[in-house]
């Protein structure tokens, strides 16, 4: 009887030790895990515009709208997202034809950004046009031989020998009139090709992405939704809109970017936070910005931000991303880029 009690006591101590170790591991993971996104690898590491690549790491947002993936100064479209993997479409990257260049890829989640990883971006060369074949010379006609008939004099005996081909007598050359001198017409100059001015770059906005960040509680009857990240539809439909003056800038110009929030719904939008990320020549500047207005009524468009700067002669790439979050959990996100 005492041996049974001793064995039961040992088993209780073992279970208590296992529970203690599991709890300590869980606390260590919660308090020691990295707070921001970490980018560990790209698959594949070489791609072109329009391809889909996989970003692996940790600390990602489980929703596509919660992640901002930058390829240099361009934003890639996030197709799907988990805390450890993102599938992203590579945006159009300015580069020479048939060339390969490294583009820094980073992931932004909220106020935190991951370290960069290089993607070997490339563009295929246009197919070469084969030269047309030279025309073959036409065969020259071979002149036919002339047949000479021999006529015998009267009284002569007819010869039974076969007739022979005789060489024709030379024909006299015709006398040509003296050439008449004609003044040569000067060559006409070809008209010059029309000069097509290069297309001027301007500020081009994208389309607003809207989604509610709150999770849906409860189960769907008849479905296993344990691995499905369900989201609510937005409470109020709205758009982030940009007004840039002037539309075409040159070095030394003062330019202004006005950010407006348009309410397309029937309820007011109460702004909780506005996050702005600006990229210039691959350098990123991001952080929360206080909105100029805290509420946008139904069917109204209200300015919420105004940014003014001087355009530099060294600016080759420029983009701005604006994310607005309401008190209901609606997230409005849009980008404008200089193209």
């Amino acid at each position: 009887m005492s041996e049974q009690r001793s064995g039961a006591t040992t088993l209780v101590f073992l279970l208590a030790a296992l529970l203690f170790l599991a709890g300590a591991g869980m606390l260590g993971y919660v308090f020691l895990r990295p707070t921001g996104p970490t980018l560990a690898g790209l698959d594949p590491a070489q791609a072109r515009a329009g391809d889909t690549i996989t970003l692996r790491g940790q600390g990602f947002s489980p929703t596509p709208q919660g992640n901002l993936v930058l390829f240099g100064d361009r934003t890639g479209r996030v197709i799907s997202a988990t805390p450890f993997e993102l599938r992203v479409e590579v945006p159009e990257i300015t580069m020479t034809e048939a060339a390969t260049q490294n583009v820094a890829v980073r992931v932004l989640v909220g106020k935190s950004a991951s370290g960069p990883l290089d993607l070997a971006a490339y563009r295929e060369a246009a197919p070469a046009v084969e030269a047309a074949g030279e025309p073959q010379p036409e065969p020259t006609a071979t002149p036919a031989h002339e047949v000479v008939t021999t006529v015998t004099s009267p009284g002569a005996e007819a010869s039974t020998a076969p007739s022979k081909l005789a060489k024709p007598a030379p024909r006299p050359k015709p006398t040509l009139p003296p050439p008449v001198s004609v003044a040569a017409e000067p060559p006409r100059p070809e008209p010059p090709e029309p000069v097509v001015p290069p297309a001027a770059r301007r500020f081009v906005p994208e389309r607003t992405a809207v989604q509610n960040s709150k999770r849906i509680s409860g189960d769907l009857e008849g479905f296993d939704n344990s691995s499905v990240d369900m989201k609510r539809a937005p409470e109020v439909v709205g758009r982030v809109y940009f007004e840039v003056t002037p539309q075409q800038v040159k070095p030394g110009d003062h330019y202004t970017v006005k950010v407006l929030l348009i309410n397309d719904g029937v309820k007011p939008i109460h702004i909780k936070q506005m996050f702005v990320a600006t990229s210039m020549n691959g350098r990123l500047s991001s952080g929360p910005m206080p909105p100029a207005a805290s509420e946008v009524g139904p069917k109204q468009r209200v300015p919420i931000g105004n940014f003014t700067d001087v355009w530099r002669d060294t600016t080759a790439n420029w983009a701005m991303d604006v994310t607005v979050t309401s008190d209901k959990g609606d997230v409005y996100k849009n980008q404008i880029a200089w193209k």
Side-chain angles (χ1 to χ4, degrees):
M1 189 68 175
S2 61
E3 292 180 356
Q4 293 180 353
R5 290 180 179 177
S6 176
T9 304
T10 303
L11 181 60
V12 169
F13 277 113
L14 288 176
L15 291 175
L18 290 175
L19 291 174
F20 175 78
L21 291 176
M26 181 62 69
L27 290 175
Y29 172 77
V30 171
F31 290 102
L32 298 179
R33 63 178 179 178
T35 57
T38 302
L39 191 57
L42 308 176
D43 184 22
Q46 184 176 9
R48 59 186 175 181
D51 291 348
T52 300
I53 65 173
T54 301
L55 280 63
R56 293 187 173 87
Q58 60 182 359
F60 304 148
S61 172
T63 63
Q65 289 77 13
N67 302 278
L68 177 63
V69 181
L70 293 178
F71 293 77
D73 62 339
R74 299 298 175 91
T75 302
R77 184 174 68 91
V78 181
I79 301 174
S80 63
T82 69
F84 306 98
E85 185 175 284
L86 301 176
R87 293 182 68 248
V88 186
E89 180 180 340
V90 179
E92 188 69 28
I93 299 172
T94 303
M95 57 189 299
T96 58
E97 188 175 355
T100 302
Q101 68 181 32
N102 290 331
V103 179
V105 181
R106 288 171 292 180
V107 179
L108 277 72
V109 178
K111 302 178 183 179
S112 302
S114 70
L117 283 182
D118 285 341
L119 172 71
Y122 70 94
R123 176 178 295 175
E124 295 181 350
V129 180
E130 297 183 358
E134 297 182 357
Q136 299 293 330
E138 297 182 357
T140 56
T142 305
H145 293 286
E146 295 183 0
V147 179
V148 179
T149 305
T150 304
V151 180
T152 58
S153 60
E157 295 182 358
S159 174
T160 59
S163 61
K164 298 181 179 180
L165 295 176
K167 185 176 180 181
R171 296 179 180 179
K173 296 182 179 181
T175 303
L176 299 178
V180 179
S181 61
V182 179
E185 183 180 356
R188 297 180 180 179
E190 297 183 357
E193 296 183 357
V195 178
V196 180
R201 299 176 68 178
R202 61 181 64 236
F203 296 94
V204 181
E206 303 291 342
R207 297 183 63 181
T208 302
V210 186
Q211 186 174 0
N212 191 285
S213 59
K214 294 183 180 179
R215 298 178 62 89
I216 298 177
S217 60
D219 296 332
L220 297 176
E221 184 178 356
F223 293 91
D224 180 13
N225 61 347
S226 58
S227 60
V228 178
D229 187 17
M230 296 182 294
K231 298 292 182 181
R232 295 179 183 271
E235 295 284 343
V236 183
V237 179
R239 291 172 288 157
V240 175
Y241 187 76
F242 300 96
E243 290 182 357
V244 184
T245 52
Q247 265 291 316
Q248 297 180 356
V249 292
K250 59 182 181 296
D253 285 350
H254 290 265
Y255 68 98
T256 302
V257 181
K258 180 186 292 186
V259 184
L260 302 96
L261 184 60
I262 302 176
N263 186 344
D264 295 323
V266 296
K267 298 179 181 179
I269 299 176
H270 299 279
I271 301 175
K272 180 181 178 181
Q273 185 185 31
M274 181 173 68
F275 188 85
V276 180
T278 304
S279 176
M280 182 182 299
N281 294 340
R283 294 184 178 181
L284 181 65
S285 175
S286 61
M289 301 290 292
S294 59
E295 180 180 342
V296 180
K299 308 301 179 181
Q300 290 184 355
R301 46 186 294 165
V302 177
I304 59 175
N306 200 58
F307 307 92
T308 304
D309 201 352
V310 178
W311 195 261
R312 299 173 178 82
D313 56 355
T314 57
T315 302
N317 298 289
W318 182 95
M320 175 182 289
D321 288 81
V322 175
T323 304
V324 179
T325 306
S326 72
D327 61 344
K328 300 296 184 181
D330 292 337
V331 179
Y332 310 91
K333 182 178 179 181
N334 200 359
Q335 182 198 67
I336 187 170
W338 186 57
K339 300 181 180 180

